[in-house]
Amino acid sequence: MTDAPPAPRRTALDARHRALGATMTDFAGWDMPLRYGSERDEHTAVRTHAGLFDLSHMGEISLIGSQAGAALDHALVGRLSALAVGRARYTMICDDEGGILDDLIVYRLGDEEFLVVANASNAQVVLDALTERAGGFEATVRDDRDAYALIAVQGPESPGILGSLTDADLEGLKYYAGLPGTVAGVPAMIARTGYTGEDGFELFLAPDDAERVWDALTEAGAPVGLVPCGLSCRDTLRLEAGMPLYGNELTTDTTPFDAGLGRVVKFDKPGDFVGRQALEAASREADTVSPRTLVGLVAEGRRVPRAGYAVVAADGSQIGKVTSGAPSPTLGKPIAMAYVDPEYAKPGTEGVTVDIRGTREPYEVVALPFYRRER
């Protein structure tokens, strides 16, 4: 007799999701809202008004100490020691072979304090790797996953909604920056970051304060069309914005250069870092001929491609594989991201199809992202 798997964890907002009638799903060991009603309506609300997300399943890890920045420089591919206090940076943690263990956002909260935010499915892997890699540095790695709830408000109306509940200088808060403040009267770290392709904010706060802030944002946003949003529309929003998803576009079999994200690897930082030798080789290879290139595909028909479907050339040969696919509410057509052979990666390349259950459906090759908001 085998032990039953552990029940999914619930966020501090679980009661709110259930009261709203959310369809819940087990995601990375958490019981999370998939949708509250129509995922298309939720998606459109974020593009045109605003959406409210519970992201409390994400993994927060703190590094504190005089050498916290140096420890992160060694552990990650970016140069985090150069990050200014109050700013954030997208980066990655790789293995010795250059494969991606996770993509991360790192916030510098103080001279000797950083907050690393990992994907929920990889949080323990990242925590273990950072703990090991920080050995020998004057830095403490702390698991803060239970210390935070994380709420995001995203969309063009989000500055006005949040601005009505805080005295923080949102107008002066740049993209990929954060500052301490209060929201609805409770302390929070307010970051201008997100995963939707829209302007918006992510709020790090104590779990006991989550319901109060959620309710205040709901009330403040109701007159301008804010709606609660689940994981399903979060996925279509990030896909339209050309943002990679770990487990789809990013894996341990993928280097940052494969994903077109070689810019996050900083070879000019002082000292060695994990995966450097393999990543230098991947960089040289990318300068000559990349074994695969991440592209966008837009359907000419109505059939939706899914992850794992083969991308096929006019002569019937397989030239790649779909990593993510979904109907695009904004474009009104199915879209996909796929890794393809470099000779088929140029936008407008003809004869590219996707094998959808035995039928080769025509697709247009386009540059990513599919959607970019007006600034």
Side-chain angles (χ1 to χ4, degrees):
M1 184 176 178
T2 58
D3 293 334
R9 297 181 64 185
R10 296 186 175 188
T11 76
L13 292 164
D14 183 77
R16 292 293 185 271
H17 304 320
R18 295 178 191 279
L20 289 166
T23 299
M24 306 296 288
T25 188
D26 182 346
F27 182 81
W30 290 83
D31 212 10
M32 297 297 295
L34 187 64
R35 67 180 70 85
Y36 298 85
S38 162
E39 58 197 56
R40 176 179 287 270
D41 290 347
E42 293 172 21
H43 179 113
T44 302
V46 176
R47 289 279 180 256
T48 57
H49 302 292
L52 188 60
F53 297 82
D54 178 10
L55 306 179
S56 302
H57 61 310
M58 301 294 281
E60 294 87 5
I61 303 163
S62 294
L63 273 82
I64 302 168
S66 61
Q67 292 186 311
L72 287 171
D73 284 352
H74 171 68
L76 310 180
V77 301
R79 188 174 184 178
L80 286 309
S81 62
L83 192 61
V85 173
R87 298 307 303 264
R89 182 165 295 165
Y90 176 78
T91 187
M92 295 180 183
I93 182 168
C94 291
D95 59 23
D96 288 325
E97 289 72 44
I100 301 168
L101 294 173
D102 201 13
D103 61 334
L104 313 164
I105 295 180
V106 178
Y107 301 86
R108 190 164 198 168
L109 305 184
D111 288 338
E112 299 185 1
E113 183 177 2
F114 295 80
L115 181 66
V116 177
V117 181
N119 286 295
S121 57
N122 295 329
Q124 189 64 48
V125 170
V126 174
L127 175 64
D128 292 344
L130 288 177
T131 301
E132 178 184 354
R133 297 176 188 188
F137 291 89
E138 293 296 326
T140 299
V141 179
R142 188 175 69 204
D143 182 359
D144 276 344
R145 286 177 287 180
D146 292 333
Y148 290 102
L150 179 55
I151 295 173
V153 55
Q154 300 278 300
E157 298 287 352
S158 59
I161 295 168
L162 183 59
S164 70
L165 300 172
T166 182
D167 291 332
D169 179 18
L170 299 185
E171 187 172 337
L173 186 62
K174 296 179 181 179
Y175 187 51
Y176 265 68
L179 79 172
T182 59
V183 178
V186 304
M189 198 274 278
I190 304 167
R192 200 164 206 151
T193 47
Y195 194 52
T196 64
E198 296 297 336
D199 191 13
F201 304 88
E202 295 182 318
L203 311 175
F204 296 81
L205 55 146
D208 288 346
D209 294 327
E211 288 188 345
R212 178 175 175 175
V213 172
W214 179 275
D215 292 345
L217 288 165
T218 298
E219 182 177 354
V224 292
L226 176 139
V227 301
C229 296
L231 293 178
S232 187
C233 85
R234 181 171 159 88
D235 188 50
T236 54
L237 288 161
R238 70 92 194 168
L239 177 56
E240 286 186 349
M243 296 177 171
L245 175 66
Y246 194 87
N248 291 45
E249 287 72 41
L250 309 177
T251 70
T252 52
D253 294 326
T254 308
T255 74
F257 297 95
D258 291 327
L261 294 168
R263 65 184 181 276
V264 307
V265 183
K266 304 302 181 184
F267 294 118
D268 59 348
K269 60 182 174 177
D272 197 12
F273 65 93
V274 178
R276 178 175 192 135
Q277 187 173 355
L279 289 168
E280 286 177 336
S283 175
R284 290 192 295 269
E285 186 176 73
D287 287 339
T288 54
V289 57
S290 175
R292 51 186 172 176
T293 303
L294 188 64
V295 301
L297 300 175
V298 178
E300 296 182 15
R302 308 302 304 174
R303 299 188 71 185
V304 179
R306 299 297 183 188
Y309 286 7
V311 183
V312 182
D315 63 3
S317 61
Q318 182 172 341
I319 57 170
K321 184 181 292 185
V322 171
T323 55
S324 297
S328 166
T330 304
L331 276 64
K333 300 177 180 180
I335 59 174
M337 287 197 282
Y339 281 111
V340 300
D341 295 341
E343 58 265 37
Y344 294 92
K346 185 178 180 180
T349 299
E350 296 183 353
V352 174
T353 64
V354 175
D355 187 336
I356 301 180
R357 297 174 183 169
T359 302
R360 287 164 53 184
E361 299 286 340
Y363 275 76
E364 178 187 1
V365 178
V366 300
L368 293 170
F370 301 97
Y371 166 85
R372 184 178 278 111
R373 71 180 176 92
E374 295 182 6
R375 301 286 176 174

